[in-house]
Amino acid sequence: MAAHILLLALLSLSSTLIHAYDPSPLQDICVADLKSPVFVNGRVCKDPKLAKADDFFFQGLDEPGNTSNNVGSKVTPVFVDQIAGLNTLGISLARIDFAPYGENPPHTHPRATEILTVLEGTLYVGFVLSNQNNNTLITKVLNKGDVFVFPIGLIHFQANIGHTPAVAIAALSSQNPGVITIANSVFGSKPPISDNILAKAFQVDKKSSSFPSLPHLFTLTIQVLYKTFVSQILTHMVHLICVVVNGFVCKAIKEVKANDFFLSGFDKPSNTKNKVGFNVKNALVNQIPGINTLGVSLVRLDFAPYGENPSHTHPCATEILTVLEGTLYMGFVLSNQNTNTLITKVLNKGDVFVFPIGLIHFQANIGRTPAVAISTLSSQNPGVITIPNSVFGSHPPIFDDILAKAFQVDKKVIDHLQAQFWMAAHILLLALLSLSSTLIHAYDPSPLQDICVADLKSPVFVNGRVCKDPKLAKADDFFFEGLDKPGNTSNNVGSKVTPVFVDQIAGLNTLGISLARIDFAPYGENPPHTHPRATEILTVLEGMLYVGFVLSNQNNNTLITKVLNKGDVFVFPIGLIHFQANIGHTPAVAIAAFSSQNPGVITIANSVFGSKPPISDNILAKAFQVDKKVIDYLQAQFWVDP
Ligand SMILES: *[C@@H]1O[C@H](CO)[C@@H](O)[C@H](O)[C@H]1NC(C)=O
Ligand SMILES: *[C@@H]1O[C@H](CO)[C@@H](O)[C@H](O)[C@H]1NC(C)=O
Ligand SMILES: *[C@@H]1O[C@H](CO)[C@@H](O)[C@H](O)[C@H]1NC(C)=O
Ligand SMILES: *[C@@H]1O[C@H](CO)[C@@H](O)[C@H](O)[C@H]1NC(C)=O
């Protein structure tokens, strides 16, 4: 009885939690306009042209919070309200300070899984499984450098069991995870929940349910959780999501141990004695099996003095980086649509910076001392594509004439670059993430209505496009004409893409699909590029194409290629670098379909060597392991988007 009442009263929302992951982004960046009066799912976006590095930046996470309160803990949030650039990116973080014997009392996050890293002190932490799993309490004592996962929607707590202050960083898989502190929700709601209901629910006398002291409440809550608490969140989540989503098979719940959610040694630096002066320590699904299906992970980045993490992308994740030690210079490059704009920032201890999903980015230590950072990623398996390795170090190599045309240089330069990467690739391969092969994460959000024809004239920026009044929708909103007309391939790569995205067919808005016609002159090519938000299916209408894509670092940058003839169809998985080249002496034509209304295009050469302003040649020289002169030469080329 009581269980049912509480179940209804408290967490009737829990059945929706399962589906409450943040929607995927529909554009490179959607910086929250925190002053807009318009209500949307998340936040209205600023005009992307007005985006600044500071929109992706937060300062002062090295400062302790004030724990002089009755629970002896303080959470400093770094959510979308603190970093406007997090809007639509499905990730955030917080610093938690604990006084000696302070605690972060039992609470849930309705929209996020949490990964906690202990920076200082000793914490006793735990979470409670749902009824179906006998309300099992899973606990662990954590020390400095330990990492622990709290699955989405489950009630959890952290308590400092040491006589010194403790500090932790929590990563959360939502731009706005929400917090429901059980005590406040149950005993402090406005208006109050009837004391009859609570007395019965908690199996206590009415007198004590007015506002129990905290230790009492704590014990009480745990007991209640054990006895009576709530629905089927975890089972649903594990069973539903494991079936539907890629990832690993789940363990039987009975065999689950606290150690499945735990990793130690995150305070220990990794070896940075390699060509780039950089190394990574992972807390991904391979290291913490409990992260499976939870859509979030963590890495520790160590930089030698002047070391760098070369240009790379994560096909499946947004990243939030927090500097623990040292001074880092970092940046990311917007896609072709946004003219390959480079956004950079120098970060000091305690500073936080966001790298949106799929965009090329880098970090470099500009100090004379080692630097350390912790990055949170919005996927259990974010994947890494290191650009130099993927383009010049694939196995087997991409043909040098394809790259010579793409990078507009002599084949000798390409051969020289390709010769570099045996070593560097190997080091990076060992250094970078060892993951399984799931890459699919960034689907467009599902539509919430029959049609949402984009109002292309609306001045309001949202995730995707504002809808027209459905009454005003016309057949022409779903129509595009002239895809039989060849594009003009008289340019230096000999190819032309004619897009049919949401900007061309307004009716595509929220529908998660689009297409393009690609024309190739004889021996023309569509140079190496990625789509940050879409998988592509290519159908050859005329001619003969040589096509390929490169797997990410953890799969040895393996190159997968195929010669396609008229009527052949080929798939390029989301976020991977790929190309198409006409190997016939007649023009070729293909139609590409994309799993996004706005897939985005990042042409590697343009993004890396043609960004505005240019990426520092020091950084690129180290990344590509060549002389600065080669980089300067490449940067001097005139980069045209195909
Ligand atoms: C911390 O909070 C307490 C209580 O609100 C206040 O009295 C104290 O001045 C604060 N300390 C600092 C350093 O802000
Ligand atoms: C829960 O307890 C019941 C009865 O003790 C047992 O049969 C069942 O296997 C348990 N389930 C789990 C997931 O521990
Ligand atoms: C194709 O583009 C080239 C270079 O921009 C231009 O000179 C030429 O006139 C164009 N051809 C057509 C048919 O538009
Ligand atoms: C990558 O290369 C290493 C060393 O050559 C090899 O052991 C491993 O099996 C390769 N992995 C894949 C996915 O090809």
Side-chain angles (χ1 to χ4, degrees), residues 488-491:
N488 183 346
T489 58
S490 301
N491 54 46

Side-chain angles (χ1 to χ4, degrees), residues 437-455:
S437 57
T438 35
L439 290 171
I440 315 302
H441 187 71
Y443 293 110
D444 284 13
S446 310
L448 293 166
Q449 59 288 306
D450 287 354
I451 54 172
C452 168
V453 175
D455 179 354

Side-chain angles (χ1 to χ4, degrees), residues 428-577:
L428 280 167
L429 175 73
L430 294 178
L432 290 169
L433 318 181
S434 62
L435 306 167
S436 77
S437 57
T438 35
L439 290 171
I440 315 302
H441 187 71
Y443 293 110
D444 284 13
S446 310
L448 293 166
Q449 59 288 306
D450 287 354
I451 54 172
C452 168
V453 175
D455 179 354
L456 298 175
K457 289 185 199 120
S458 167
V460 180
F461 290 87
V462 297
N463 188 26
R465 295 287 193 168
V466 168
C467 322
K468 277 201 334 201
D469 182 343
K471 290 193 206 78
L472 304 179
K474 308 178 302 291
D476 280 352
D477 291 328
F478 299 86
F479 173 74
F480 178 88
E481 106 187 295
L483 212 61
D484 55 335
K485 307 242 163 52
N488 183 346
T489 58
S490 301
N491 54 46
N492 47 16
V493 290
S495 76
K496 182 70 192 174
V497 176
T498 306
V500 189
F501 300 164
V502 67
D503 285 357
Q504 287 75 38
I505 301 192
L508 282 179
N509 195 30
T510 75
L511 298 182
I513 194 165
S514 63
L515 58 79
R517 172 190 169 118
I518 315 176
D519 285 280
F520 301 86
Y523 308 107
E525 75 179 46
N526 188 4
H529 63 281
T530 74
H531 304 292
R533 292 177 292 277
T535 289
E536 171 177 350
I537 307 181
L538 186 98
T539 307
V540 180
L541 301 186
E542 291 297 337
M544 190 189 287
L545 295 177
Y546 171 73
V547 306
F549 63 85
V550 185
L551 298 186
S552 64
N553 297 5
Q554 66 269 25
N555 294 308
N556 291 358
N557 299 125
T558 306
L559 173 66
I560 292 180
T561 61
K562 183 87 185 163
V563 172
L564 304 181
N565 293 300
K566 191 171 169 169
D568 290 352
V569 176
F570 197 80
V571 176
F572 303 94
I574 187 169
L576 299 187
I577 294 177

